[in-house]
Amino acid sequence: MPFKSALTESELRAKILPEGTAEYLVAPDVYITPGAREYLRFRGIQLKIQEQGQYGEMPRTPLSAKAGYVDAQTGASYEQKPEHMTHLRANRLVPKTHPRILFRGKLDSLEAQILCGQITALEQGYLDVMQELEEILSFVRAILSAEVREAPFAVERLLGYNSEQLRKVSHNVKEEIGIPHPTPSCKMGKLALTLNLLRTQVREAELAGIAAFSLEGEPEREDLIRALNRLSSAVYIIFCKLLAGGYYQQANTSGEKRGEKQYEW
């Protein structure tokens, strides 16, 4: 069965499961990340996968909390997970300094930066920017899910653009958006600089991905590297559109006002 979504450790923590919770039910089309599994084991909560039976949803046999661990690099086995190691996938462990784990950390930081950008957009009344950042956030989470599951990833559409359109618009902002390529300045304001920071962090994640998956000089997961490259283009497009006055800003009173062009800065 193909997975439709992923359950992460951060989502479980956000649910604030009450003390004494005995089990946690998950639909069969949800991928459970290793971090989420480890969090439930740590809390002593049994993970049960629901399956559709004749009489409705029935839990499968819970996953064992005492499952062994295997060093993905050496093949060594452990009864308990060493503190300096973490999950590569399922019960396969690698050091926390492993390039793929560092790559996942970059994606995690990227999600955090996107959320901060959404708050800034909301505070300044740019609801369209907040919504587009929500799409960016879902895109990053999908990349993380594909990396952990070792599943293929394709850029279909992002912000209404396909892969080639994202590349074209970001390289031709004068023709497509109406301003020259902007040079960041403190006079642009907090939201614009937050977007610019986000763009740089996407680039850092892309470089971390190249380092994590390089095989004899060629990227092993070219699909993920391409996705991050297009993601950088998408964030840059939002940045440029904001400076060009391409978004409506919700006024403090009733009604809307058009964003002012700021590209002169």
Side-chain angles (χ1 to χ4, degrees):
M1 174 182 295
F3 294 112
K4 295 183 179 179
S5 61
L7 176 66
T8 66
E9 178 184 354
S10 60
E11 290 179 40
L12 285 174
R13 290 183 181 275
K15 292 178 183 294
I16 313 179
L17 300 175
E19 292 295 331
T21 300
E23 62 184 37
Y24 190 86
L25 299 180
V26 180
D29 58 358
V30 174
Y31 175 75
I32 305 121
T33 66
R37 294 178 187 272
E38 183 63 25
Y39 176 75
L40 292 174
R41 290 192 189 99
F42 179 78
R43 290 283 306 274
I45 300 173
Q46 289 186 327
L47 176 63
K48 292 188 176 181
I49 309 299
Q50 296 175 332
E51 63 179 346
Q52 185 69 42
Q54 182 178 0
Y55 302 103
E57 297 290 340
M58 298 295 291
R60 295 179 184 174
T61 303
L63 297 175
S64 172
K66 298 181 180 180
Y69 302 97
V70 178
D71 190 314
Q73 296 175 312
T74 67
S77 60
Y78 309 95
E79 290 187 3
Q80 294 184 338
K81 184 173 74 67
E83 291 295 332
H84 73 284
M85 303 188 80
T86 190
H87 298 269
L88 181 64
R89 189 179 183 194
N91 69 333
R92 303 289 174 174
L93 303 180
V94 291
K96 293 179 179 179
T97 54
H98 189 280
R100 283 181 63 179
I101 303 305
L102 296 178
F103 174 54
R104 293 175 189 177
K106 286 291 186 181
L107 293 178
D108 191 24
S109 297
L110 197 53
E111 289 187 28
Q113 181 63 35
I114 294 168
L115 291 168
C116 289
Q118 286 185 290
I119 291 297
T120 301
L122 179 62
E123 290 174 345
Q124 296 189 9
Y126 286 102
L127 304 186
D128 289 342
V129 174
M130 185 186 70
Q131 289 299 323
E132 289 192 347
L133 287 177
E134 183 68 25
E135 187 176 348
I136 296 292
L137 179 64
S138 297
F139 192 83
V140 173
R141 287 173 173 169
I143 291 175
L144 178 59
S145 176
E147 188 279 321
V148 173
R149 295 185 291 113
E150 298 180 353
F153 187 89
V155 180
E156 295 180 356
R157 299 194 75 82
L158 185 59
L159 305 183
Y161 302 107
N162 63 29
S163 180
E164 291 308 311
Q165 289 169 336
L166 285 168
R167 186 183 183 94
K168 177 183 177 183
V169 173
S170 66
H171 282 74
N172 300 278
V173 295
K174 178 66 174 179
E175 296 78 4
E176 300 289 340
I177 300 178
I179 64 171
H181 287 283
T183 300
S185 164
C186 64
K187 296 179 181 179
M188 290 177 172
K190 184 177 181 180
L191 179 56
L193 295 183
T194 298
L195 291 169
N196 183 59
L197 177 60
L198 176 59
R199 177 191 59 80
T200 66
Q201 291 185 317
V202 174
R203 287 297 192 186
E204 290 181 5
E206 180 183 353
L207 293 176
I210 293 173
F213 295 109
S214 289
L215 183 63
E216 298 181 354
E218 296 295 331
E220 183 181 339
R221 288 300 305 266
E222 188 174 353
D223 56 337
L224 298 186
I225 305 307
R226 182 184 299 107
L228 286 164
N229 187 274
R230 298 304 185 268
L231 180 63
S232 174
S233 296
V235 175
Y236 186 61
I237 289 170
I238 299 174
F239 171 65
C240 291
K241 283 177 61 179
L242 177 69
L243 296 178
Y247 294 100
Y248 282 98
Q249 183 180 17
Q250 183 70 45
N252 292 330
T253 57
S254 60
E256 295 181 335
K257 64 179 181 180
R258 186 71 171 176
E260 296 180 356
K261 288 188 177 182
Q262 304 177 52
Y263 66 84
E264 290 86 358
W265 302 119

